[in-house]
Amino acid sequence: MLDFIVIFVIAALSGLGVGSGGLLVIYLTLVNGTPQLAAQGANLIFFILASLASLLFNLPKRRIPYGAVAIMATLGIAGSLGGTYLASVIPAAVLRKIFGAMLVGSGILALRQK
């Protein structure tokens, strides 16, 4: 039941625009003991479902800038291919430290902007 409540809160934060994907990974790894790769996979599924919900909500309202979507999709595909290559070259321990530093840095930036 705790998992349901926490994921509901994270989903609500996501709907409010908070970058909550990192919160899900942190919760799954630190509280549930989920391996990091599995937590990141669950985070990707969470993100895809949240994006799909947003798409279904905004599509009828014609609020989707298709040009920007095409650019972001192209850059996202290029980034995922580049990230896959880097993940195969960089040791997992280093990747965990980089990911942790990125989360801390983005959290600090978010707090300073608000």
Side-chain angles (χ1 to χ4, degrees):
M1 187 64 175
L2 177 63
D3 289 343
F4 178 79
I5 293 168
V6 169
I7 291 172
F8 180 81
V9 169
I10 291 172
L13 289 171
S14 178
L16 294 171
V18 176
S20 57
L23 296 175
L24 181 61
V25 173
I26 291 169
Y27 172 74
L28 290 174
T29 56
L30 295 180
V31 176
N32 274 3
T34 304
Q36 184 174 355
L37 288 178
Q40 288 172 328
N43 184 45
L44 287 174
I45 292 169
F46 177 84
F47 178 73
I48 289 168
L49 292 174
S51 298
L52 180 61
S54 177
L55 177 67
L56 293 175
F57 179 78
N58 287 300
L59 193 60
K61 296 181 180 189
R62 299 182 185 262
R63 293 184 181 170
I64 300 173
Y66 294 104
V69 170
I71 291 169
M72 288 186 284
T74 302
L75 293 174
I77 291 168
S80 66
L81 292 173
T84 300
Y85 171 74
L86 288 175
S88 70
V89 175
I90 299 172
V94 174
L95 286 175
R96 277 193 286 278
K97 289 178 183 175
I98 292 170
F99 182 69
M102 181 203 66
L103 285 177
V104 170
S106 65
I108 290 170
L109 285 174
L111 288 173
R112 291 183 71 192
Q113 291 177 355
K114 304 267 176 179

